[in-house]
Amino acid sequence: MKYLFSLLFLTSLCVGQNLVITNVSIIPVNTNTVLTNMNVYITNGVIDKIVSGGTKLPFKDYKTIDGKGKFLMPGLADMHAHFPDKLNPISLQQYLKYNLAAGVTTLRSMRGEESQLALRDSINKKLKVAPDIYVSYVFPDADSILTKDKIADLIFQAKIKKYDFVKYLGGLKTKNMNHLSQSCYEYKIPLAGHAFNKSLEESVDLDFVSIEHYQPVLAAYEKSPDGFSALIKKMKDKNVAVCPTLSFYYTYSFLQDETQLLAHNGMSLVSTQVKDQWLKEYNEALIGTKEQLKEEFDTKYKSVYQKKFDVFNTVLKQLADENMLLLLSADEGPFNVPGFSMAEEMKLYSKAGLSNYEILKSATYNAAVFFANDKNTGSVQEGKRANLILLNANPLDAIENIQKVEGTILNGKYYSQKELLGISSTK
Ligand SMILES: [Zn+2]
Protein backbone atom coordinates (compact mmCIF):
# COMPACT_ATOMS: atom_id res chain seq x y z
CA MET A 1 0.00 0.00 0.00
CA LYS A 2 2.79 2.35 0.95
CA TYR A 3 4.52 1.39 -2.28
CA LEU A 4 1.39 2.03 -4.29
CA PHE A 5 0.99 5.41 -2.66
CA SER A 6 4.53 6.52 -3.43
CA LEU A 7 4.15 5.23 -6.98
CA LEU A 8 1.01 7.30 -7.46
CA PHE A 9 2.68 10.29 -5.91
CA LEU A 10 5.65 10.02 -8.24
CA THR A 11 3.40 9.61 -11.25
CA SER A 12 1.43 12.69 -10.33
CA LEU A 13 4.67 14.61 -10.20
CA CYS A 14 5.50 13.69 -13.79
CA VAL A 15 2.11 14.09 -15.47
CA GLY A 16 -1.44 14.86 -14.50
CA GLN A 17 -1.38 18.60 -14.95
CA ASN A 18 -3.45 20.27 -17.62
CA LEU A 19 -1.96 23.45 -18.92
CA VAL A 20 -2.84 26.40 -21.10
CA ILE A 21 -0.12 28.68 -22.41
CA THR A 22 -1.76 31.94 -23.38
CA ASN A 23 -0.93 34.58 -25.99
CA VAL A 24 2.27 32.83 -27.00
CA SER A 25 4.15 32.88 -30.34
CA ILE A 26 4.54 29.36 -31.68
CA ILE A 27 7.52 28.14 -33.71
CA PRO A 28 6.00 24.87 -34.93
CA VAL A 29 9.20 23.85 -36.83
CA ASN A 30 7.40 21.38 -39.11
CA THR A 31 6.86 24.48 -41.22
CA ASN A 32 8.95 27.64 -41.36
CA THR A 33 6.50 30.06 -39.75
CA VAL A 34 5.70 31.80 -36.50
CA LEU A 35 2.11 31.71 -35.28
CA THR A 36 1.65 34.80 -33.13
CA ASN A 37 -0.71 35.27 -30.20
CA MET A 38 -1.98 31.72 -29.72
CA ASN A 39 -3.43 29.77 -26.81
CA VAL A 40 -2.08 26.24 -26.47
CA TYR A 41 -4.14 23.78 -24.43
CA ILE A 42 -2.28 20.76 -23.13
CA THR A 43 -4.32 17.84 -21.83
CA ASN A 44 -2.79 14.74 -20.23
CA GLY A 45 0.62 15.47 -21.68
CA VAL A 46 -0.60 16.02 -25.23
CA ILE A 47 -1.07 19.23 -27.23
CA ASP A 48 -4.84 19.18 -27.34
CA LYS A 49 -5.95 22.42 -28.99
CA ILE A 50 -4.16 25.37 -30.54
CA VAL A 51 -6.47 28.39 -30.89
CA SER A 52 -6.02 32.10 -31.43
CA GLY A 53 -5.23 34.18 -28.36
CA GLY A 54 -8.71 35.70 -28.25
CA THR A 55 -10.40 32.31 -27.94
CA LYS A 56 -11.00 30.84 -24.53
CA LEU A 57 -12.09 27.20 -24.45
CA PRO A 58 -14.38 26.03 -21.64
CA PHE A 59 -11.72 23.68 -20.25
CA LYS A 60 -11.78 23.45 -16.48
CA ASP A 61 -8.85 23.41 -14.08
CA TYR A 62 -6.09 24.28 -16.52
CA LYS A 63 -3.02 25.87 -15.03
CA THR A 64 -2.29 29.07 -16.96
CA ILE A 65 1.17 30.07 -18.11
CA ASP A 66 1.35 33.59 -19.49
CA GLY A 67 3.10 33.27 -22.85
CA LYS A 68 2.94 36.93 -23.81
CA GLY A 69 6.20 38.00 -25.42
CA LYS A 70 7.41 34.40 -25.31
CA PHE A 71 8.08 31.71 -27.91
CA LEU A 72 7.03 28.08 -27.79
CA MET A 73 8.96 25.47 -29.75
CA PRO A 74 9.56 21.70 -29.63
CA GLY A 75 12.05 20.37 -27.07
CA LEU A 76 15.59 19.77 -28.34
CA ALA A 77 17.12 16.38 -29.09
CA ASP A 78 20.80 15.86 -28.28
CA MET A 79 21.56 13.16 -30.81
CA HIS A 80 25.09 12.31 -29.70
CA ALA A 81 24.79 12.29 -25.93
CA HIS A 82 27.25 10.74 -23.49
CA PHE A 83 25.90 10.09 -20.03
CA PRO A 84 28.53 10.91 -17.40
CA ASP A 85 30.73 7.97 -16.44
CA LYS A 86 31.86 7.32 -12.86
CA LEU A 87 34.89 9.59 -13.17
CA ASN A 88 32.82 12.54 -14.35
CA PRO A 89 32.39 15.23 -11.68
CA ILE A 90 28.89 15.91 -13.08
CA SER A 91 26.49 13.34 -11.62
CA LEU A 92 23.87 11.55 -13.72
CA GLN A 93 21.11 13.36 -11.86
CA GLN A 94 22.74 16.74 -12.54
CA TYR A 95 23.29 15.77 -16.15
CA LEU A 96 19.61 15.00 -16.71
CA LYS A 97 18.53 18.20 -14.92
CA TYR A 98 20.93 20.37 -16.94
CA ASN A 99 19.53 18.90 -20.13
CA LEU A 100 15.95 19.63 -19.15
CA ALA A 101 16.90 23.13 -17.99
CA ALA A 102 18.46 23.82 -21.39
CA GLY A 103 15.32 22.58 -23.15
CA VAL A 104 16.58 19.12 -24.15
CA THR A 105 13.76 16.58 -23.99
CA THR A 106 15.39 13.73 -25.98
CA LEU A 107 18.80 12.13 -25.56
CA ARG A 108 20.33 9.56 -27.87
CA SER A 109 22.86 7.86 -25.62
CA MET A 110 25.96 6.95 -27.61
CA ARG A 111 27.67 5.25 -24.68
CA GLY A 112 24.86 2.97 -23.69
CA GLU A 113 24.96 0.71 -20.66
CA GLU A 114 22.57 -1.82 -19.23
CA SER A 115 21.69 0.50 -16.32
CA GLN A 116 20.37 3.06 -18.82
CA LEU A 117 17.76 0.56 -20.05
CA ALA A 118 16.10 0.55 -16.63
CA LEU A 119 16.34 4.33 -16.49
CA ARG A 120 14.75 4.61 -19.93
CA ASP A 121 11.91 2.31 -18.88
CA SER A 122 11.14 4.30 -15.75
CA ILE A 123 11.18 7.52 -17.78
CA ASN A 124 8.79 5.95 -20.28
CA LYS A 125 6.50 4.90 -17.44
CA LYS A 126 6.62 8.54 -16.26
CA LEU A 127 8.17 7.50 -12.98
CA LYS A 128 11.11 9.80 -13.46
CA VAL A 129 11.37 13.40 -14.63
CA ALA A 130 14.03 13.26 -17.36
CA PRO A 131 14.34 13.55 -21.13
CA ASP A 132 13.32 10.59 -23.30
CA ILE A 133 16.33 8.39 -23.85
CA TYR A 134 17.40 6.04 -26.62
CA VAL A 135 20.10 3.63 -25.52
CA SER A 136 22.88 2.24 -27.69
CA TYR A 137 24.47 -1.16 -27.39
CA VAL A 138 28.13 -0.32 -27.89
CA PHE A 139 29.58 -3.08 -30.04
CA PRO A 140 32.96 -4.36 -28.75
CA ASP A 141 35.93 -3.23 -30.84
CA ALA A 142 37.63 -6.61 -30.49
CA ASP A 143 37.93 -8.00 -33.99
CA SER A 144 40.25 -10.90 -33.14
CA ILE A 145 37.88 -12.61 -30.68
CA LEU A 146 34.78 -12.25 -32.85
CA THR A 147 33.25 -14.77 -35.21
CA LYS A 148 30.10 -14.71 -37.31
CA ASP A 149 28.19 -16.70 -34.66
CA LYS A 150 29.54 -14.64 -31.78
CA ILE A 151 28.48 -11.41 -33.53
CA ALA A 152 25.01 -12.80 -34.24
CA ASP A 153 24.70 -13.83 -30.60
CA LEU A 154 25.76 -10.41 -29.28
CA ILE A 155 23.24 -8.66 -31.51
CA PHE A 156 20.55 -11.16 -30.54
CA GLN A 157 21.29 -10.40 -26.86
CA ALA A 158 21.14 -6.66 -27.53
CA LYS A 159 17.76 -7.14 -29.17
CA ILE A 160 16.44 -9.29 -26.31
CA LYS A 161 17.60 -6.72 -23.76
CA LYS A 162 15.77 -4.06 -25.79
CA TYR A 163 18.61 -1.75 -26.66
CA ASP A 164 17.36 0.84 -29.13
CA PHE A 165 20.27 0.62 -31.55
CA VAL A 166 23.81 -0.65 -32.02
CA LYS A 167 26.70 1.78 -31.90
CA TYR A 168 29.73 0.91 -33.98
CA LEU A 169 32.75 2.26 -32.19
CA GLY A 170 35.51 0.98 -34.48
CA GLY A 171 38.09 -1.77 -34.66
CA LEU A 172 36.42 -4.31 -36.94
CA LYS A 173 37.84 -5.72 -40.15
CA THR A 174 35.69 -6.00 -43.27
CA LYS A 175 34.59 -9.60 -42.74
CA ASN A 176 33.30 -9.03 -39.22
CA MET A 177 31.82 -5.67 -40.15
CA ASN A 178 29.74 -7.40 -42.83
CA HIS A 179 28.58 -9.95 -40.25
CA LEU A 180 27.63 -7.13 -37.89
CA SER A 181 25.65 -5.32 -40.56
CA GLN A 182 23.94 -8.58 -41.54
CA SER A 183 23.03 -9.43 -37.93
CA CYS A 184 21.60 -5.95 -37.31
CA TYR A 185 19.52 -6.37 -40.45
CA GLU A 186 18.29 -9.82 -39.40
CA TYR A 187 17.38 -8.78 -35.87
CA LYS A 188 15.95 -5.47 -37.04
CA ILE A 189 18.05 -3.27 -34.81
CA PRO A 190 19.47 -0.06 -36.29
CA LEU A 191 23.23 0.30 -36.72
CA ALA A 192 24.78 3.73 -36.14
CA GLY A 193 28.09 5.19 -35.13
CA HIS A 194 31.60 5.91 -36.28
CA ALA A 195 32.11 5.46 -40.00
CA PHE A 196 33.53 2.06 -40.93
CA ASN A 197 37.06 2.44 -42.33
CA LYS A 198 36.49 6.19 -41.86
CA SER A 199 34.46 5.92 -45.05
CA LEU A 200 31.06 7.52 -45.40
CA GLU A 201 30.31 5.61 -48.56
CA GLU A 202 31.18 2.19 -47.11
CA SER A 203 29.07 2.95 -44.02
CA VAL A 204 26.10 3.90 -46.18
CA ASP A 205 26.50 0.59 -48.04
CA LEU A 206 26.60 -1.22 -44.68
CA ASP A 207 23.17 0.27 -43.86
CA PHE A 208 24.23 2.64 -41.08
CA VAL A 209 21.26 4.79 -40.06
CA SER A 210 23.52 7.61 -38.90
CA ILE A 211 27.15 8.57 -39.25
CA GLU A 212 28.75 10.37 -36.32
CA HIS A 213 31.27 13.24 -36.45
CA TYR A 214 32.18 15.46 -39.35
CA GLN A 215 35.43 13.86 -40.52
CA PRO A 216 34.04 11.05 -42.72
CA VAL A 217 31.71 13.54 -44.39
CA LEU A 218 34.56 15.96 -45.04
CA ALA A 219 36.77 13.11 -46.32
CA ALA A 220 34.07 11.95 -48.74
CA TYR A 221 33.71 15.48 -50.08
CA GLU A 222 37.46 15.99 -50.45
CA LYS A 223 37.88 12.63 -52.15
CA SER A 224 35.34 13.53 -54.78
CA PRO A 225 33.67 16.96 -54.70
CA ASP A 226 31.92 16.07 -57.97
CA GLY A 227 30.61 12.73 -56.74
CA PHE A 228 29.44 14.19 -53.43
CA SER A 229 25.99 15.16 -54.65
CA ALA A 230 25.36 11.60 -55.82
CA LEU A 231 26.43 10.33 -52.40
CA ILE A 232 24.08 12.76 -50.68
CA LYS A 233 21.28 11.53 -52.90
CA LYS A 234 22.06 7.94 -51.98
CA MET A 235 22.03 8.85 -48.28
CA LYS A 236 18.71 10.59 -48.66
CA ASP A 237 17.25 7.59 -50.48
CA LYS A 238 18.40 5.32 -47.65
CA ASN A 239 17.39 7.79 -44.89
CA VAL A 240 20.94 8.00 -43.53
CA ALA A 241 21.45 10.86 -41.08
CA VAL A 242 24.60 12.79 -40.22
CA CYS A 243 25.55 14.13 -36.78
CA PRO A 244 28.72 16.23 -37.22
CA THR A 245 29.41 17.11 -33.51
CA LEU A 246 31.53 20.15 -34.37
CA SER A 247 31.80 21.77 -30.94
CA PHE A 248 34.05 19.12 -29.44
CA TYR A 249 36.53 19.37 -32.33
CA TYR A 250 36.28 23.13 -32.45
CA THR A 251 37.40 23.26 -28.82
CA TYR A 252 40.39 21.06 -29.56
CA SER A 253 41.35 23.08 -32.61
CA PHE A 254 42.64 25.62 -30.03
CA LEU A 255 41.05 28.44 -32.01
CA GLN A 256 39.30 29.93 -28.96
CA ASP A 257 41.03 31.60 -26.05
CA GLU A 258 40.28 30.80 -22.42
CA THR A 259 37.86 33.70 -22.05
CA GLN A 260 35.81 32.45 -24.99
CA LEU A 261 35.79 28.89 -23.67
CA LEU A 262 34.68 30.01 -20.21
CA ALA A 263 31.88 32.02 -21.83
CA HIS A 264 30.28 28.92 -23.41
CA ASN A 265 26.58 28.60 -22.72
CA GLY A 266 25.90 27.18 -19.26
CA MET A 267 29.45 27.68 -17.94
CA SER A 268 28.16 29.91 -15.16
CA LEU A 269 26.39 26.84 -13.75
CA VAL A 270 29.32 24.49 -13.43
CA SER A 271 31.25 24.26 -10.20
CA THR A 272 34.78 25.61 -9.78
CA GLN A 273 35.91 22.00 -9.46
CA VAL A 274 34.54 21.11 -12.91
CA LYS A 275 35.83 24.35 -14.45
CA ASP A 276 39.31 23.71 -13.10
CA GLN A 277 39.31 20.13 -14.32
CA TRP A 278 38.26 21.20 -17.81
CA LEU A 279 40.90 23.93 -17.93
CA LYS A 280 43.52 21.44 -16.79
CA GLU A 281 42.51 18.88 -19.44
CA TYR A 282 42.43 21.54 -22.12
CA ASN A 283 45.73 23.16 -21.20
CA GLU A 284 47.51 19.82 -20.94
CA ALA A 285 46.40 19.01 -24.48
CA LEU A 286 47.38 22.46 -25.67
CA ILE A 287 50.83 22.37 -24.08
CA GLY A 288 51.41 18.80 -25.31
CA THR A 289 50.53 19.73 -28.87
CA LYS A 290 52.66 22.87 -28.75
CA GLU A 291 55.65 20.96 -27.43
CA GLN A 292 55.26 18.38 -30.14
CA LEU A 293 54.96 20.84 -33.01
CA LYS A 294 57.03 23.72 -31.60
CA GLU A 295 57.13 26.69 -34.03
CA GLU A 296 54.93 24.76 -36.48
CA PHE A 297 52.00 24.79 -34.03
CA ASP A 298 50.26 27.62 -35.86
CA THR A 299 50.94 26.47 -39.40
CA LYS A 300 50.60 22.72 -38.89
CA TYR A 301 47.81 22.68 -36.33
CA LYS A 302 45.73 25.81 -35.92
CA SER A 303 45.58 26.82 -39.56
CA VAL A 304 45.07 23.21 -40.64
CA TYR A 305 42.00 23.05 -38.39
CA GLN A 306 40.80 26.44 -39.53
CA LYS A 307 40.97 25.26 -43.12
CA LYS A 308 39.20 21.99 -42.28
CA PHE A 309 36.34 23.90 -40.68
CA ASP A 310 36.16 26.32 -43.59
CA VAL A 311 35.79 23.48 -46.06
CA PHE A 312 33.41 21.55 -43.84
CA ASN A 313 31.26 24.65 -43.45
CA THR A 314 30.61 24.67 -47.20
CA VAL A 315 29.86 20.93 -47.01
CA LEU A 316 27.45 21.42 -44.11
CA LYS A 317 25.70 24.19 -46.01
CA GLN A 318 25.37 21.86 -49.00
CA LEU A 319 23.90 19.11 -46.79
CA ALA A 320 21.30 21.58 -45.50
CA ASP A 321 20.60 22.98 -48.97
CA GLU A 322 20.00 19.46 -50.28
CA ASN A 323 17.72 18.73 -47.33
CA MET A 324 19.81 15.93 -45.84
CA LEU A 325 18.73 14.53 -42.50
CA LEU A 326 21.05 16.61 -40.31
CA LEU A 327 21.13 15.95 -36.59
CA LEU A 328 22.68 18.09 -33.87
CA SER A 329 24.88 17.53 -30.85
CA ALA A 330 27.99 19.12 -29.36
CA ASP A 331 29.25 15.75 -28.05
CA GLU A 332 30.75 15.68 -24.55
CA GLY A 333 34.00 17.29 -23.57
CA PRO A 334 35.49 20.27 -21.76
CA PHE A 335 33.35 23.43 -21.90
CA ASN A 336 30.40 21.49 -23.31
CA VAL A 337 27.90 21.85 -20.47
CA PRO A 338 25.28 19.08 -20.80
CA GLY A 339 22.22 20.40 -22.62
CA PHE A 340 23.51 23.96 -22.75
CA SER A 341 26.19 22.95 -25.26
CA MET A 342 23.44 22.47 -27.86
CA ALA A 343 23.53 26.26 -28.28
CA GLU A 344 27.28 26.17 -28.97
CA GLU A 345 26.76 23.61 -31.73
CA MET A 346 23.97 25.76 -33.14
CA LYS A 347 26.31 28.75 -33.31
CA LEU A 348 28.76 26.66 -35.33
CA TYR A 349 25.97 25.61 -37.73
CA SER A 350 25.13 29.28 -38.02
CA LYS A 351 28.74 30.12 -38.87
CA ALA A 352 28.48 27.59 -41.71
CA GLY A 353 25.65 29.64 -43.15
CA LEU A 354 22.65 27.50 -42.20
CA SER A 355 19.48 29.46 -41.59
CA ASN A 356 18.17 29.62 -38.05
CA TYR A 357 15.17 27.61 -39.19
CA GLU A 358 17.39 24.85 -40.59
CA ILE A 359 19.33 24.78 -37.32
CA LEU A 360 16.22 24.49 -35.16
CA LYS A 361 14.87 21.81 -37.47
CA SER A 362 18.02 19.71 -37.17
CA ALA A 363 17.74 19.86 -33.37
CA THR A 364 14.05 18.94 -33.17
CA TYR A 365 12.02 17.83 -36.17
CA ASN A 366 14.81 15.87 -37.87
CA ALA A 367 15.40 13.84 -34.72
CA ALA A 368 11.75 12.79 -34.70
CA VAL A 369 12.03 11.84 -38.38
CA PHE A 370 15.15 9.86 -37.53
CA PHE A 371 13.37 7.82 -34.88
CA ALA A 372 10.98 6.42 -37.45
CA ASN A 373 8.54 5.23 -34.81
CA ASP A 374 8.36 8.60 -33.08
CA LYS A 375 5.47 10.40 -34.66
CA ASN A 376 4.78 12.22 -31.42
CA THR A 377 7.51 14.79 -30.94
CA GLY A 378 9.58 17.23 -32.97
CA SER A 379 6.94 19.85 -33.75
CA VAL A 380 4.26 21.95 -32.08
CA GLN A 381 1.00 20.57 -33.49
CA GLU A 382 -2.25 19.29 -32.07
CA GLY A 383 -1.92 15.63 -31.15
CA LYS A 384 1.83 15.77 -30.49
CA ARG A 385 3.31 15.14 -27.07
CA ALA A 386 3.86 18.29 -25.07
CA ASN A 387 7.65 18.18 -24.83
CA LEU A 388 8.33 21.84 -25.44
CA ILE A 389 10.50 24.83 -24.61
CA LEU A 390 9.27 28.28 -23.67
CA LEU A 391 11.80 30.94 -24.71
CA ASN A 392 12.03 34.63 -23.86
CA ALA A 393 13.16 35.59 -27.36
CA ASN A 394 12.80 34.30 -30.91
CA PRO A 395 15.60 31.93 -32.03
CA LEU A 396 14.56 32.48 -35.67
CA ASP A 397 15.74 36.10 -35.26
CA ALA A 398 19.06 35.16 -33.64
CA ILE A 399 20.11 31.60 -32.88
CA GLU A 400 21.64 32.74 -29.54
CA ASN A 401 18.09 33.24 -28.32
CA ILE A 402 17.89 29.48 -27.82
CA GLN A 403 19.83 30.27 -24.62
CA LYS A 404 16.96 32.32 -23.22
CA VAL A 405 14.97 29.43 -21.78
CA GLU A 406 12.15 30.43 -19.45
CA GLY A 407 10.94 26.89 -18.89
CA THR A 408 10.64 23.38 -20.26
CA ILE A 409 7.43 21.40 -20.66
CA LEU A 410 7.87 17.68 -20.28
CA ASN A 411 4.92 15.35 -20.78
CA GLY A 412 2.66 18.34 -20.37
CA LYS A 413 4.11 19.50 -17.06
CA TYR A 414 5.77 22.88 -16.83
CA TYR A 415 9.13 23.34 -15.12
CA SER A 416 10.67 26.77 -14.95
CA GLN A 417 14.40 26.80 -15.68
CA LYS A 418 15.01 28.32 -12.25
CA GLU A 419 13.16 25.44 -10.61
CA LEU A 420 15.13 22.86 -12.59
CA LEU A 421 18.42 24.48 -11.67
CA GLY A 422 17.44 24.76 -8.04
CA ILE A 423 17.43 28.55 -8.11
CA SER A 424 14.69 29.81 -5.75
CA SER A 425 13.11 26.38 -5.94
CA THR A 426 9.50 26.01 -4.87
CA LYS A 427 10.02 22.40 -3.75
ZN1 LIG B 1 30.89 10.76 -28.82
Side-chain angles (χ1 to χ4, degrees):
M1 188 61 200
K2 199 178 163 198
Y3 172 74
L4 182 68
F5 174 75
S6 61
L7 196 72
L8 287 171
F9 176 68
L10 276 169
T11 310
S12 74
L13 278 181
C14 302
V15 286
Q17 176 195 48
N18 292 334
L19 209 63
V20 54
I21 305 159
T22 55
N23 306 108
V24 74
S25 294
I26 299 175
I27 303 169
V29 183
N30 61 315
T31 56
N32 186 6
T33 54
V34 180
L35 310 168
T36 54
N37 192 26
M38 306 300 281
N39 289 347
V40 180
Y41 287 85
I42 294 165
T43 310
N44 296 327
V46 173
I47 301 171
D48 193 356
K49 286 270 178 264
I50 299 176
V51 296
S52 71
T55 314
K56 231 181 153 209
L57 297 177
F59 289 2
K60 286 225 169 70
D61 300 326
Y62 277 62
K63 181 184 168 174
T64 302
I65 305 273
D66 182 8
K68 200 164 184 212
K70 295 186 168 60
F71 294 82
L72 190 69
M73 65 167 281
L76 306 175
D78 182 338
M79 294 300 278
H80 190 104
H82 285 278
F83 287 30
D85 57 22
K86 289 204 171 62
L87 296 172
N88 199 311
I90 295 175
S91 71
L92 177 62
Q93 195 52 33
Q94 239 173 347
Y95 172 84
L96 297 171
K97 277 280 158 69
Y98 278 179
N99 272 292
L100 279 184
V104 175
T105 53
T106 299
L107 295 166
R108 184 170 67 131
S109 168
M110 299 307 284
R111 188 169 52 218
E113 284 171 21
E114 218 160 315
S115 63
Q116 293 172 18
L117 297 170
L119 176 65
R120 175 198 62 195
D121 294 345
S122 60
I123 292 167
N124 289 346
K125 286 180 192 149
K126 316 274 191 290
L127 296 174
K128 188 163 173 60
V129 179
D132 288 348
I133 59 178
Y134 291 84
V135 185
S136 60
Y137 168 68
V138 181
F139 196 78
D141 57 348
D143 193 75
S144 59
I145 59 159
L146 292 166
T147 60
K148 185 183 179 194
D149 289 347
K150 178 80 186 153
I151 291 168
D153 186 51
L154 287 170
I155 297 306
F156 175 69
Q157 294 301 329
K159 182 74 182 178
I160 292 294
K161 288 177 181 162
K162 297 199 165 75
Y163 280 94
D164 295 295
F165 65 105
V166 172
K167 180 187 180 183
Y168 176 64
L169 196 61
L172 294 194
K173 298 210 172 91
T174 305
K175 202 167 122 200
N176 279 338
M177 186 67 227
N178 286 331
H179 293 323
L180 174 60
S181 172
Q182 186 61 29
S183 293
C184 289
Y185 175 78
E186 274 163 22
Y187 291 114
K188 294 189 173 58
I189 183 165
L191 172 62
H194 297 159
F196 174 64
N197 256 346
K198 299 180 180 165
S199 163
L200 185 62
E201 194 155 20
E202 284 181 64
S203 309
V204 172
D205 289 338
L206 286 159
D207 297 333
F208 276 54
V209 293
S210 78
I211 318 284
E212 308 306 304
H213 313 305
Y214 79 94
Q215 295 91 334
V217 185
L218 179 61
Y221 172 80
E222 287 181 324
K223 192 178 151 202
S224 168
D226 294 336
F228 193 63
S229 268
L231 183 54
I232 292 180
K233 191 181 175 305
K234 191 173 180 183
M235 290 175 80
K236 279 172 66 177
D237 289 345
K238 293 186 83 171
N239 293 319
V240 185
V242 164
C243 191
T245 67
L246 293 173
S247 179
F248 171 86
Y249 299 101
Y250 193 59
T251 295
Y252 279 107
S253 66
F254 305 124
L255 296 167
Q256 299 163 92
D257 62 30
E258 238 174 60
T259 320
Q260 285 170 309
L261 292 167
L262 292 172
H264 276 194
N265 190 35
M267 280 305 291
S268 60
L269 297 167
V270 305
S271 65
T272 317
Q273 181 210 359
V274 174
K275 229 176 257 182
D276 289 349
Q277 185 173 322
W278 282 353
L279 280 170
K280 186 167 165 268
E281 251 175 71
Y282 178 80
N283 282 315
E284 275 171 7
L286 177 61
I287 289 161
T289 312
K290 273 185 175 168
E291 270 172 9
Q292 212 186 336
L293 293 170
K294 304 222 160 53
E295 63 272 17
E296 293 180 325
F297 175 68
D298 280 327
T299 54
K300 288 215 166 148
Y301 196 92
K302 276 173 102 170
S303 46
V304 168
Y305 259 104
Q306 185 64 64
K307 199 166 160 258
K308 265 193 207 179
F309 288 128
D310 288 347
V311 178
F312 186 73
N313 282 347
T314 64
V315 175
L316 187 58
K317 178 81 172 78
Q318 188 181 348
L319 296 180
D321 287 347
E322 301 205 25
N323 217 3
M324 259 282 308
L325 197 59
L326 262 183
L327 306 173
L328 192 138
S329 171
D331 206 339
E332 70 168 351
F335 316 105
N336 276 347
V337 183
F340 293 86
S341 61
M342 292 289 281
E344 296 304 320
E345 188 73 6
M346 288 185 184
K347 289 174 210 169
L348 294 174
Y349 278 29
S350 183
K351 257 191 193 173
L354 273 71
S355 73
N356 294 336
Y357 173 66
E358 286 169 327
I359 298 168
L360 296 183
K361 199 172 162 218
S362 67
T364 57
Y365 187 80
N366 287 1
V369 171
F370 177 79
F371 297 119
N373 57 354
D374 181 9
K375 305 264 184 282
N376 301 316
T377 62
S379 59
V380 186
Q381 287 174 280
E382 287 179 1
K384 299 274 174 180
R385 272 173 68 199
N387 280 2
L388 308 163
I389 323 174
L390 191 64
L391 295 164
N392 286 308
N394 185 354
L396 291 172
D397 290 344
I399 204 64
E400 289 77 9
N401 288 340
I402 198 74
Q403 300 177 171
K404 297 179 179 158
V405 176
E406 177 63 29
T408 303
I409 296 157
L410 186 75
N411 296 312
K413 189 170 191 295
Y414 181 77
Y415 304 88
S416 75
Q417 191 189 57
K418 287 192 176 111
E419 178 189 349
L420 287 166
L421 294 173
I423 305 164
S424 74
S425 171
T426 49
K427 279 195 200 119

